[in-house]
Amino acid sequence: MNRIPIPIWLIFFSLFLLLRTTTSVEDEVKNSLLNFLAKLSNNSSQLGSLSSWSFSSDPCKDHWPGVVCDSKNTVVRKLYLNSSKLDGELDVGFLCGVAPLAASLGVVHLEYNSINGGISTEILSCKQLTHFHVTQNKLSGSLPASLVMLNNMKQLDISNNRFSGSLPDFSRISGLQVFLAENNQLGGEIPVFDFSNLKLFNVSNNNLTGRIPDVHGHFTASSFLGNPYLCGDPLPIECPPSQADTLSEKSKGSSKSPVTMFVGYIVLGLAGIALFIFMLCKRSKRKDKVNTLPKKVVAVDDEDDSLYKSSFGASMESTVAGLSKSGISADQSALVSSSVLVVLTSPEVNGLKFEDLLRAPAEMLGRGKSGCLYKVLLDNNKNVVVKRIKDWPISSHEFKQRMQRLDKVKHPNVLPALAFYSSKQEKLLVYEFQQNGNLFKFLHGTNMDYAFDWATRLEVAANIAEALAFMHQELKDDKITHGNLKSSNILLNKNMEPCISEYGLMRVQNSPDNSLLAKVSHSKSSNAIFKDDVYGFGVILLELLTGNLVQHNGIDLTDWVQSVVREEWTVEVFDKALLSECASVERLVSLLQVAIQCVNRSPEARPSMNQVAAMINTIKDEDERSAVSFEP
């Protein structure tokens, strides 16, 4: 059989078409990214490092800033355009309307910009999307129902925008781990999420209505506050019975016979008597327990003012003269009844009274310059911590206003007060107990059960910085700072995420005290008042980087670090544990430079916490991109 020869020109023409097709796909992705950025930036030419995006270069091989590709540099995996001063419009069609890009893109970070517009239904085509973060923008409109079709989605953060409409049924995304939608204008009812799988969840400060689905104890009221028409657990607002429930109850009631009702009354009466006897026995046992409870006092050290260092019972002896550890005498009952404990919006301590605190079993955990802390066991077997502050020169009225103002400012990395009490001599604050302790113990203690590696330390630094930046921004008109920021005041919640405790409990003073900030010059300007917090945060960064105490070998940590840096022995300052795990020296140095800016002697020369958070997020993004580039 004779073969028909193939003309040479046909072979070259086929190769040309193949090459052209391959190039057109690459050009399509590149062109789509450029159009996406142009829309986000309003075609601005002032894009900083993003100005290097160009059609004449390759997103992967030429490493476009903010673009992370696979290990072979052939497809785009992630986009990091957060904190890029973008003020244009979001058009996901440029990402999800191009098949090759939609098939590879998994992570999109656009947070901390001023982007407007909304999320279009075209996002459905980005099937591989796992992380979509757009917090702190100006996005609006309804959320498309197509969002729930993204089955691979793990983290969705749409918080701090202007979204309206109802929430789609996100229960269809079984693997969703983070859903943050606070501070929007969303309405309607909350769909039934898989709350057991969620690690972070917040829909506070919206216009949501109806009964809260059963969260199975995974989330507290703070995730739902600021929705005046929400009801049900974990909020302290009971839901009114529905018409169906009322009709059902009436139907059941009408079917009862007189004999059944009579038996029911007898059973109810017996149950009441049994409950009364049980409560008497329980109160007697509790008094005995308080009488025999050992008081453990931690010696005063660098963490004397941390939230978790004390108990409560005996401390109120100075407030209620002659108060015994076993309870309140009859002579003091009138005084106690007039003592008002203000319970903030929290179901954990709903109905808690001042007298309940005094009688509850308590354990002192520690004592510091500004007061003591106590661990208290409530009747519902929940542990809380009570912070006692003595001789704070602020009136009860001012203190109440301050605490109510702080209660309105919510951030997941700032521990809110559950209740407070104020008298002329003393102030008390009730907080939720955090059993994982504080950052000081993990950095300088003997707890080795949790690996505090470089990635974890960087994540902690970023979360604290963002939380402080948020608080400073929200409270700038009130001029409420933390005032005593240090590693012992950074608690670790059940998910090992940092929580800033005791925010706003600084002493009012006209001159520097003997604390860590004594060397810092004070200014009366509204901006400079927050610079003490920046200094305290800088010291925490130095602790994270060096692993050393604030007083290192009898020398102040900031002085020691700066002396080593001046001698150009910079690597010597870093914790050997970080160097042994081959953490990037370049990024260690970058974070060290941020810390040194924060602890500048001149408050005016220190950056704001917004600037600090942006710098740390940049380092974090670089670290994540570097880690991705080494993936097999």
Side-chain angles (χ1 to χ4, degrees):
M1 180 177 180
N2 295 328
R3 293 183 178 180
I4 301 173
I6 300 175
I8 191 69
W9 64 267
L10 184 58
I11 296 175
F12 280 112
F13 182 70
S14 300
L15 288 173
F16 172 76
L17 288 177
L18 180 62
L19 290 172
R20 183 172 178 81
T21 302
T22 304
T23 304
S24 66
V25 170
E26 294 174 352
D27 288 348
E28 187 181 17
V29 170
K30 189 189 308 182
N31 194 53
S32 179
L33 290 173
L34 290 170
N35 287 331
F36 180 66
L37 180 60
K39 199 74 177 287
L40 284 179
S41 63
N42 266 331
N43 292 304
S44 173
S45 58
Q46 304 298 321
L47 292 174
S49 62
L50 297 179
S51 299
S52 61
W53 285 30
S54 169
F55 195 80
S56 60
S57 60
D58 184 86
C60 297
K61 296 177 181 177
D62 295 314
H63 305 291
W64 284 8
V67 177
V68 180
C69 299
D70 66 337
S71 58
K72 297 179 181 179
N73 280 332
T74 56
V75 295
V76 175
R77 295 290 192 198
K78 302 180 181 182
L79 280 180
Y80 290 93
L81 300 178
N82 47 299
S83 303
S84 298
K85 300 180 180 179
L86 300 170
D87 58 0
E89 185 178 348
L90 174 63
D91 189 342
V92 296
F94 283 121
L95 300 180
C96 305
V98 178
L101 185 56
S104 64
L105 191 62
V107 175
V108 175
H109 280 265
L110 300 173
E111 60 265 41
Y112 300 103
N113 286 293
S114 299
I115 303 168
N116 54 62
I119 302 174
S120 69
T121 57
E122 292 171 288
I123 198 170
L124 172 62
S125 299
C126 285
K127 297 289 188 183
Q128 302 306 315
L129 207 56
T130 60
H131 295 64
F132 190 67
H133 292 250
V134 292
T135 185
Q136 293 286 355
N137 279 288
K138 299 177 180 178
L139 298 172
S140 59
S142 299
L143 299 175
S146 54
L147 273 174
V148 304
M149 304 300 290
L150 300 176
N151 297 323
N152 293 310
M153 185 70 74
K154 290 182 172 28
Q155 296 185 12
L156 180 59
D157 185 357
I158 59 170
S159 60
N160 300 290
N161 279 287
R162 301 168 184 172
F163 288 113
S164 57
S166 59
L167 287 172
D169 185 10
F170 285 105
S171 63
R172 300 178 64 176
I173 308 179
S174 59
L176 192 63
Q177 298 175 357
V178 172
F179 181 76
L180 301 175
E182 67 269 24
N183 302 317
N184 278 287
Q185 300 163 19
L186 296 166
E189 296 187 352
I190 301 174
V192 182
F193 287 79
D194 183 1
F195 289 102
S196 62
N197 192 53
L198 284 165
K199 296 179 180 178
L200 290 176
F201 179 84
N202 198 326
V203 292
S204 60
N205 299 317
N206 279 285
N207 300 313
L208 297 168
T209 61
R211 183 185 297 272
I212 297 174
D214 188 358
V215 299
H216 305 290
H218 291 289
F219 298 99
T220 63
S222 62
S223 295
F224 303 94
L225 294 174
N227 292 280
Y229 302 106
L230 274 184
C231 62
D233 189 64
L235 289 177
I237 305 170
E238 293 186 5
C239 293
S242 64
Q243 186 176 7
D245 293 338
T246 304
L247 291 174
S248 176
E249 289 297 324
K250 287 182 177 179
S251 174
K252 290 179 182 177
S254 61
S255 65
K256 293 180 180 177
S257 67
V259 176
T260 303
M261 293 179 66
F262 181 72
V263 172
Y265 288 138
I266 294 176
V267 173
L268 185 62
L270 292 174
I273 295 171
L275 179 62
F276 178 74
I277 295 172
F278 172 76
M279 292 302 292
L280 286 177
C281 294
K282 184 177 180 181
R283 177 172 294 183
S284 176
K285 289 181 180 180
R286 189 170 62 202
K287 288 182 178 180
D288 294 339
K289 183 175 181 180
V290 175
N291 278 325
T292 58
L293 186 66
K295 301 294 178 182
K296 180 177 67 176
V297 181
V298 177
V300 175
D301 58 12
D302 189 62
E303 46 179 334
D304 283 337
D305 293 327
S306 72
L307 183 58
Y308 294 101
K309 307 189 275 195
S310 46
S311 95
F312 185 62
S315 73
M316 290 306 294
E317 291 177 358
S318 60
T319 303
V320 183
L323 177 65
S324 68
K325 296 178 183 178
S326 60
I328 301 172
S329 67
D331 295 336
Q332 296 150 356
S333 59
L335 177 59
V336 169
S337 63
S338 65
S339 302
V340 178
L341 182 74
V342 180
V343 177
L344 301 169
T345 50
S346 174
E348 288 88 349
V349 292
N350 190 29
L352 181 67
K353 297 179 181 178
F354 185 69
E355 183 179 355
D356 299 331
L357 276 182
L358 294 178
R359 290 180 172 176
E363 177 187 3
M364 178 178 281
L365 302 176
R367 179 178 298 154
K369 298 183 182 71
S370 64
C372 303
L373 254 74
Y374 305 83
K375 180 180 175 183
V376 177
L377 179 63
L378 302 180
D379 282 344
N380 59 3
N381 288 323
K382 182 175 183 65
N383 285 315
V384 296
V385 171
V386 179
K387 172 76 175 182
R388 175 197 179 197
I389 307 172
K390 289 193 65 178
D391 303 321
W392 189 9
I394 182 173
S395 70
S396 294
H397 177 69
E398 290 174 318
F399 180 71
K400 180 178 181 180
Q401 283 187 324
R402 172 179 286 237
M403 297 315 302
Q404 289 176 337
R405 176 71 184 100
L406 287 169
D407 186 52
K408 294 179 181 178
V409 183
K410 302 291 185 182
H411 191 279
N413 296 111
V414 178
L415 190 69
L418 304 179
F420 67 89
Y421 160 85
S422 178
S423 70
K424 185 176 180 180
Q425 294 81 16
E426 308 195 64
K427 310 290 185 293
L428 303 177
L429 290 113
V430 182
Y431 291 95
E432 185 179 359
F433 178 66
Q434 306 293 324
Q435 63 183 12
N436 285 327
N438 57 50
L439 183 60
F440 179 92
K441 291 181 179 178
F442 273 90
L443 286 175
H444 312 301
T446 57
N447 191 341
M448 302 302 291
D449 296 334
Y450 188 83
F452 226 63
D453 56 12
W454 162 242
T456 303
R457 298 190 200 196
L458 187 56
E459 181 74 19
V460 165
N463 286 339
I464 299 172
E466 288 181 3
L468 271 179
F470 175 83
M471 298 299 284
H472 285 184
Q473 179 66 29
E474 292 294 314
L475 297 168
K476 63 181 179 181
D477 294 334
D478 305 274
K479 298 182 181 179
I480 300 178
T481 69
H482 187 286
N484 191 28
L485 191 68
K486 52 188 177 180
S487 58
S488 55
N489 279 335
I490 306 299
L491 308 179
L492 298 166
N493 64 19
K494 61 182 180 181
N495 297 321
M496 291 304 294
E497 296 160 341
C499 248
I500 302 172
S501 69
E502 301 187 13
Y503 192 97
L505 301 192
M506 59 173 281
R507 287 175 176 269
V508 177
Q509 47 196 347
N510 297 320
S511 60
D513 62 7
N514 295 321
S515 71
L516 173 67
L517 302 178
K519 66 187 73 178
V520 182
S521 59
H522 286 237
S523 171
K524 296 181 180 179
S525 71
S526 59
N527 290 328
I529 193 173
F530 293 99
K531 294 303 178 74
D532 281 0
D533 283 356
V534 177
Y535 184 95
F537 178 75
V539 175
I540 292 174
L541 285 184
L542 292 180
E543 289 182 77
L544 288 168
L545 287 167
T546 67
N548 291 331
L549 294 164
V550 174
Q551 291 295 321
H552 175 67
N553 294 331
I555 304 173
D556 183 86
L557 179 60
T558 60
D559 293 336
W560 175 75
V561 168
Q562 290 175 340
S563 67
V564 174
V565 172
R566 279 196 301 269
E567 297 294 332
E568 298 183 358
W569 299 340
T570 302
V571 177
E572 296 296 321
V573 307
F574 298 126
D575 190 341
K576 289 181 174 57
L578 297 178
L579 297 174
S580 65
E581 68 174 85
C582 299
S584 167
V585 174
E586 179 184 355
R587 282 179 282 281
L588 286 171
V589 171
S590 295
L591 192 60
L592 178 62
Q593 291 171 344
V594 175
I596 291 174
Q597 289 183 58
C598 291
V599 297
N600 193 298
R601 299 299 182 196
S602 170
E604 292 77 13
R606 296 173 203 150
S608 68
M609 281 310 306
N610 271 327
Q611 293 170 321
V612 173
M615 288 187 285
I616 294 178
N617 277 322
T618 299
I619 297 170
K620 182 183 170 187
D621 291 341
E622 290 173 355
D623 200 66
E624 290 177 352
R625 286 197 291 269
S626 176
V628 171
S629 66
F630 287 102
E631 289 180 358

